Amino acid sequence: MSALPRRATRSSSLIALALLALGTAGCSANGRPGEQHSWAKAGVPAFEALYSASSVTIDMKARRDGLDVHGTLQIGRGKECRAEVTSGRGGEVRVIRTADGTAYIQVDEAQIRSGGGNRPRQRVEADVRLFAGRWLKADPSAPMTRQIVQYCDIRKLIPADHTEIEEVDLTGTVTGDGRRIRFAAKEDGVMMRVFVNRGENPTVHKIEQIGGERPMSAVFSDFGEPIQVGHPPADEVLTPDEIRTLYRDSVADLARSESG
């Protein structure tokens, strides 16, 4: 995995920073294109400011297994969260978590069909009928639920200390429009870049990886904006018990139809 140069011999991945960077807005001021700034004076305070955000929106794009994936993630300092991710095959997954910690997951028909794998066609069609477009109330004990909602928890995305950030050793250059400072490092043919908004209170604007097997970008915005997340209408929600019952009955119906 490509990384930024650091004063220590260990490396600090910007891919990790893309998941960790959460922020608050800072005023922006124009600078002279080409003007240089140290990471210690611009990068570190930018990330420290981001860590204190009450909320943030992250627009991410990535390429995984030859397919383009993009999504939007809104995270609040509390438990509230909203995420929408579109896979390279066209399917969409939506996740919401309310202030009381209840999580819901919704997948559309395209996502169910694209994830069908080697399942029998009848099984895929049954899943489409049962679950497409329905909100599934997540079982908090399920490993998949924990994996999905971990990205909705600021406390899990931000490290306990800032050692990884503080040890980066780079000099940044003001961009042509004078609004941001660009820090860049190249390793093994992969370019990693961080764009920091200039001003008295610098903040991270964008993180990107160019090249390599997993190119990606993350743009941060709407810092401190309220996140409105509520429970879906009850008639659009399936509880874990209802999901298990529907699935069990569906499997039994398919078995009977095949034996008949």
Side-chain angles (χ1 to χ4, degrees), residues 28-237:
S28 178
N30 288 342
R32 297 189 303 274
E35 184 179 275
Q36 293 190 330
H37 296 262
S38 71
W39 178 265
K41 291 185 178 180
V44 171
F47 277 96
E48 288 179 344
L50 292 172
Y51 292 147
S52 65
S54 60
S55 65
V56 67
T57 296
I58 308 173
D59 290 301
M60 299 191 71
K61 296 180 181 180
R63 190 162 183 80
R64 299 291 182 267
D65 301 322
L67 299 174
D68 292 324
V69 179
H70 60 89
T72 300
L73 177 63
Q74 295 175 293
I75 305 175
R77 181 171 293 282
K79 295 181 180 295
E80 62 271 27
C81 171
R82 181 190 304 274
E84 297 181 0
V85 178
T86 300
S87 70
R89 295 182 176 88
E92 183 177 70
V93 178
R94 301 171 65 194
V95 178
I96 59 176
R97 190 172 70 176
T98 60
D100 63 8
T102 305
Y104 302 89
I105 301 171
Q106 184 186 76
V107 294
D108 64 6
E109 179 178 344
Q111 180 64 28
I112 294 175
R113 294 189 183 282
S114 66
N118 296 322
R119 289 183 300 161
R121 181 180 60 82
Q122 296 91 333
R123 174 71 268 163
V124 174
E125 295 298 332
D127 287 349
V128 168
R129 291 194 301 272
L130 293 173
F131 306 123
R134 302 288 298 274
W135 284 105
L136 312 180
K137 188 175 182 179
D139 181 351
S141 64
M144 185 178 73
T145 299
R146 293 197 297 269
Q147 179 181 0
I148 291 174
V149 302
Q150 68 176 331
Y151 298 108
C152 289
D153 194 335
I154 287 180
R155 295 169 185 83
K156 291 183 179 179
L157 294 179
I158 299 178
D161 61 66
H162 299 162
T163 302
E164 293 286 327
I165 304 300
E166 293 173 348
E167 291 186 358
V168 172
D169 188 13
L170 283 177
T171 298
T173 304
V174 172
T175 56
D177 60 9
R179 297 174 56 195
R180 301 187 176 96
I181 304 169
R182 179 180 62 244
F183 293 92
K186 190 172 185 179
E187 182 177 311
D188 298 330
V190 177
M191 176 68 74
M192 310 298 297
R193 303 199 298 188
V194 175
F195 293 83
V196 172
N197 292 315
R198 298 188 69 253
E200 294 181 3
N201 301 304
T203 57
V204 174
H205 165 68
K206 183 179 182 179
I207 299 171
E208 64 182 1
Q209 172 179 318
I210 302 173
E213 296 181 356
R214 294 193 169 190
M216 56 76 63
S217 69
V219 177
F220 305 89
S221 63
D222 294 338
F223 307 109
E225 294 294 323
I227 299 176
Q228 303 297 331
V229 180
H231 296 271
D235 60 353
E236 296 180 11
V237 175

